[in-house]
Amino acid sequence: MILKIKKYSELIRPLIILFDLLIINIIIFFLSDREHWNLQFILYITLFWLSIAFYTKFYNVYRYTHVLKLITLLFSQFFVFLLAFFAYYTIFEEGVIVSKQSNVVFSFMATITSFKFFFFFLLKKYRLKGNNYRNVVVFGESKSAQNVATLFLKRQDLGYRFCGFFSDKQSSSKNFLGSIKDGLEYTKKETIDEVYCEVNSVSSLKLKEIRRFCNENKIEFSLIPENKAIYSKDFILEHYGTIPVLKLKQLPFERIETHILKRSFDVLFSLFVCVFLLSWLLPILWVIVKVNSKGEFFFKQKRDGINGEQFYCYKIRSMEENYLSDLVSASKNDDRITSVGMFLRKSSLDELPQFFNVLIGNMSVVGPRPHMNIQTEKYLKEIDNYLIRNSVKPGITGLAQVSGYRGEVKKKSDIENRVRLDIFYIENWSFFLDLKIISQTVLNVFKGQESAY
């Protein structure tokens, strides 16, 4: 039985980022002219540091990262940041003598460099003592697979605990634990963090099965290529010393920078909508809805949020109050919909209160649309990979909606296409994709969509 311990590796990067920002601002505060240390300057420096770090991948330092790679990251980050730092004085403080600022910037560069190397080697020493490790297994028995296993056994400072290897070909090695089928059962039963597959000794059918298994159980999956392997676009080539390993590309939502950028945009955009649109439009709609039919103005319903957490999703009531509201979704010519409600649904105005959900933090402006709980239970059983939608916050609008898949689900292909587009969005997110979806949503409001009812 493998010892189960609680790991805090996911906290390392956020803490390092926070520490770097503190170093920068503390040094600037104590060494620069106080009159230049203001909110505008703090926001400028913080924003540019994080933006540059995002594009230089400054914080993408892993347990297998070589020290030369670390030096390259430091050089790239500081070179671009220096330009941004001194550009501030050209744009906002023209004529200010920057000789003193040179001392400031080189002071925090030296401090951050020292800290980065200190923490890099401190972690190695910590892992060398058997802490902060990741349990790994290898599928395959070729020379390449054995080289990786040997590396994990010898380089304890990398923090990998090699548990054994599995292969359909029998082996007399003491690390051999059984067939690939045995390996999947072992991986599921024990706390395995990473799986490595040698492409030359595992069939393509088995590779697909192992990869699907890892995706479902949130286990990191990597390939050990043969020397002349053709690399998939889904993988990036890394080197553990001199050994090549193919690792799955990090998805956008697996990066903390994505969540910071997306949440910042959500808050700013929602505040803008609430202040300049909802502040005067909701009172008008309240009067119209109340005059048209009896009942509450707001309608709330429990929906699945990120990681399946339940939350109340708010809308403007568009139906007569009825006991089927949580059981049956709206259909075309649904007699529960009021005359005003028909307009609200057609124009998507009934969704506006969800900007409050965004401010609270249980929704995003753009993301997979949350379904009724009874629908979620049904689709979980019928649709492959449906649960992947819950890995991000649900949205007011989404790629599936602007692509025509909204409203009533009449046939299985309707929900299959929604899930397909939602997964595409999760795997290919970018800030500009969000802007494109928002723009298309606004256009659709004015053009109208046939499935909006």
Side-chain angles (χ1 to χ4, degrees):
M1 175 68 71
I2 293 173
L3 181 65
K4 295 185 179 182
I5 62 167
K6 189 171 183 179
K7 300 180 178 68
Y8 296 94
S9 295
E10 66 273 11
L11 300 177
I12 293 175
R13 190 176 299 177
L15 287 174
I16 291 175
I17 294 172
L18 180 63
F19 191 82
D20 284 353
L21 291 174
L22 283 173
I23 288 174
I24 292 170
N25 282 285
I26 288 171
I27 290 177
I28 290 173
F29 178 76
F30 284 106
L31 297 185
S32 66
D33 297 325
R34 292 293 174 86
E35 61 268 20
H36 302 306
W37 196 82
N38 51 44
L39 182 60
Q40 175 182 281
F41 186 57
I42 295 169
L43 291 174
Y44 177 90
I45 290 299
T46 301
L47 178 63
F48 268 92
W49 177 266
L50 293 175
S51 300
I52 295 164
F54 177 80
Y55 287 103
T56 62
K57 298 180 172 56
F58 183 63
Y59 292 106
N60 290 15
V61 178
Y62 307 101
R63 57 186 69 223
Y64 54 82
T65 298
H66 196 275
V67 67
L68 292 177
K69 176 67 174 178
L70 196 66
I71 294 170
T72 303
L73 290 172
L74 284 163
F75 179 81
S76 303
Q77 176 73 7
F78 289 142
F79 177 77
V80 181
F81 184 70
L82 274 173
L83 299 177
F85 183 87
F86 289 113
Y88 175 85
Y89 294 96
T90 303
I91 300 169
F92 301 106
E93 303 284 349
E94 189 176 355
V96 172
I97 299 173
V98 298
S99 59
K100 192 173 182 179
Q101 306 311 320
S102 300
N103 296 332
V104 172
V105 76
F106 286 117
S107 294
F108 69 67
M109 281 172 58
T111 307
I112 288 175
T113 300
S114 301
F115 168 72
K116 204 162 185 73
F117 277 108
F118 170 76
F119 196 76
F120 180 78
F121 290 109
L122 181 67
L123 266 178
K124 283 189 174 294
K125 193 172 182 64
Y126 185 67
R127 288 164 182 156
L128 197 59
K129 294 182 178 180
N131 302 302
N132 188 235
Y133 60 82
R134 295 178 70 81
N135 293 315
V136 301
V137 294
V138 175
F139 288 89
E141 80 294 330
S142 71
K143 185 66 175 176
S144 297
Q146 292 173 19
N147 287 340
V148 170
T150 302
L151 176 75
F152 290 154
L153 290 169
K154 287 185 176 179
R155 291 287 307 277
Q156 294 295 308
D157 61 306
L158 294 177
Y160 291 102
R161 182 168 292 181
F162 176 63
C163 302
F165 72 90
F166 299 87
S167 172
D168 288 336
K169 185 178 177 181
Q170 290 296 315
S171 173
S172 58
S173 170
K174 65 176 182 179
N175 295 315
F176 177 73
L177 300 180
S179 67
I180 289 176
K181 183 180 179 182
D182 295 331
L184 293 177
E185 291 177 0
Y186 178 90
T187 303
K188 190 172 185 178
K189 184 175 66 174
E190 305 292 349
T191 309
I192 301 300
D193 302 295
E194 298 186 25
V195 165
Y196 291 79
C197 285
E198 202 285 308
V199 296
N200 204 31
S201 55
V202 179
S203 68
S204 58
L205 191 63
K206 289 287 186 182
L207 275 177
K208 289 179 182 178
E209 182 184 353
I210 295 167
R211 181 174 177 179
R212 183 172 64 251
F213 172 85
C214 290
N215 285 339
E216 290 172 355
N217 291 279
K218 296 183 178 179
I219 298 170
E220 189 171 328
F221 174 79
S222 302
L223 287 178
I224 306 167
E226 53 182 315
N227 291 335
K228 296 181 180 179
I230 299 174
Y231 306 137
S232 165
K233 66 178 181 179
D234 294 332
F235 293 85
I236 54 174
L237 182 65
E238 298 284 1
H239 284 87
Y240 290 20
T242 58
I243 299 173
V245 172
L246 288 177
K247 301 187 76 68
L248 278 169
K249 283 185 178 178
Q250 194 177 34
L251 295 177
F253 286 98
E254 293 175 342
R255 297 193 293 263
I256 189 171
E257 305 96 311
T258 298
H259 294 280
I260 293 172
L261 178 59
K262 194 165 174 61
R263 181 60 184 155
S264 299
F265 175 78
D266 282 344
V267 171
L268 292 173
F269 189 82
S270 298
L271 280 173
F272 179 85
V273 171
C274 290
V275 172
F276 294 103
L277 181 63
L278 301 190
S279 59
W280 59 267
L281 183 58
L282 284 185
I284 295 173
L285 293 176
W286 183 86
V287 173
I288 295 173
V289 169
K290 284 290 189 179
V291 169
N292 181 249
S293 62
K294 293 181 180 179
E296 298 293 329
F297 175 62
F298 287 117
F299 171 74
K300 67 177 184 178
Q301 189 175 63
K302 275 193 174 182
R303 302 284 177 96
D304 267 355
I306 186 169
N307 298 324
E309 295 176 4
Q310 296 281 297
F311 73 98
Y312 280 109
C313 179
Y314 290 95
K315 289 187 173 187
I316 297 174
R317 182 176 58 83
S318 59
M319 292 183 175
E320 300 283 357
E321 292 188 339
N322 65 95
Y323 69 94
L324 293 174
S325 58
D326 291 332
L327 302 173
V328 181
S329 59
S331 58
K332 196 168 187 178
N333 301 319
D334 196 319
D335 56 12
R336 294 176 297 167
I337 301 175
T338 65
S339 55
V340 168
M342 191 177 297
F343 166 74
L344 293 174
R345 298 176 75 92
K346 194 75 176 174
S347 60
S348 297
L349 290 175
D350 63 320
E351 311 282 1
L352 287 177
Q354 286 163 37
F355 281 104
F356 298 132
N357 284 113
V358 176
L359 284 176
I360 293 168
N362 44 39
M363 286 185 73
S364 180
V365 175
V366 182
R369 284 293 296 160
H371 294 139
M372 293 167 56
N373 285 349
I374 194 168
Q375 291 177 318
T376 298
E377 292 172 10
K378 178 175 182 288
Y379 298 148
L380 273 172
K381 300 173 184 175
E382 298 178 355
I383 308 299
D384 291 339
N385 299 321
Y386 181 84
L387 203 58
I388 294 176
R389 302 171 77 255
N390 284 358
S391 62
V392 300
K393 288 182 182 180
I396 298 175
T397 185
L399 182 60
Q401 282 61 45
V402 299
S403 301
Y405 296 102
R406 60 168 293 182
E408 185 181 9
V409 176
K410 296 180 179 178
K411 50 187 183 294
K412 189 177 179 181
S413 61
D414 290 339
I415 187 62
E416 286 176 337
N417 283 317
R418 287 188 196 184
V419 172
R420 175 178 58 82
L421 289 167
D422 287 337
I423 293 175
F424 177 88
Y425 170 80
I426 292 169
E427 294 181 345
N428 297 275
W429 177 88
S430 73
F431 181 65
F432 294 104
L433 178 59
D434 271 5
L435 294 181
K436 182 180 178 181
I437 291 171
I438 292 169
S439 301
Q440 188 62 52
T441 301
V442 175
L443 288 174
N444 287 345
V445 167
F446 291 103
K447 289 194 307 182
Q449 283 183 290
E450 187 179 344
S451 54
Y453 49 79

